Amino acid sequence: FSGMLSIVTGDSQVVIDSTADTATVTILDEADTVTIGFNQTIYTVQEEIGFVTWRVVASVPVDSDIVIRINEITSGRSATSGVDYGNFDNTQVTLTAGETVVEFNITIIDDNF
């Protein structure tokens, strides 16, 4: 629905800004709202496996391609990027229109310790 401003009475020097005279509200049904997140928040893997697969999932199929950036958080972690696992900072994955899941692999480096 929309609303539009108009002056009924008052100062004749007051005018309505024609670039901001209309407001529109779109109501989304709960089913229209798409949430995106990791399907699992904790992973435990053995070094010799070689990789871990992360899955990003959407609550419903997306209407158009969605590009998602994954940023690496290193603070307070015991593993080191480039030593224990492959760098994935700023990795982008695309959730394709009509889909609900996109996967990507992170290399696990076996340091033989």
Side-chain angles (χ1 to χ4, degrees):
F1 62 93
S2 297
M4 185 174 205
L5 299 175
S6 64
I7 297 175
V8 177
T9 62
D11 187 341
S12 63
Q13 297 299 315
V14 175
V15 295
I16 295 174
D17 180 349
S18 64
T19 64
D21 66 344
T22 304
T24 301
V25 175
T26 302
I27 299 173
L28 298 175
D29 290 330
E30 290 176 9
D32 293 336
T33 303
V34 179
T35 57
I36 295 174
F38 289 108
N39 76 316
Q40 182 177 334
T41 57
I42 296 175
Y43 294 78
T44 303
V45 297
Q46 297 294 325
E47 284 184 334
E48 63 270 8
I49 297 298
F51 66 92
V52 61
T53 300
W54 276 358
R55 289 174 188 84
V56 177
V57 297
S59 57
V60 296
V62 294
D63 292 334
S64 60
D65 290 359
I66 305 292
V67 178
I68 303 162
R69 175 178 289 134
I70 296 94
N71 294 315
E72 185 176 334
I73 300 172
T74 58
S75 175
R77 307 291 182 215
S78 62
T80 304
S81 178
V83 176
D84 299 302
Y85 60 90
N87 183 318
F88 63 89
D89 196 31
N90 289 316
T91 295
Q92 292 186 357
V93 295
T94 301
L95 187 57
T96 306
E99 299 294 328
T100 58
V101 177
V102 61
E103 297 180 343
F104 66 102
N105 292 331
I106 299 169
T107 301
I108 304 298
I109 300 169
D110 188 352
D111 58 15
N112 296 314
F113 289 125

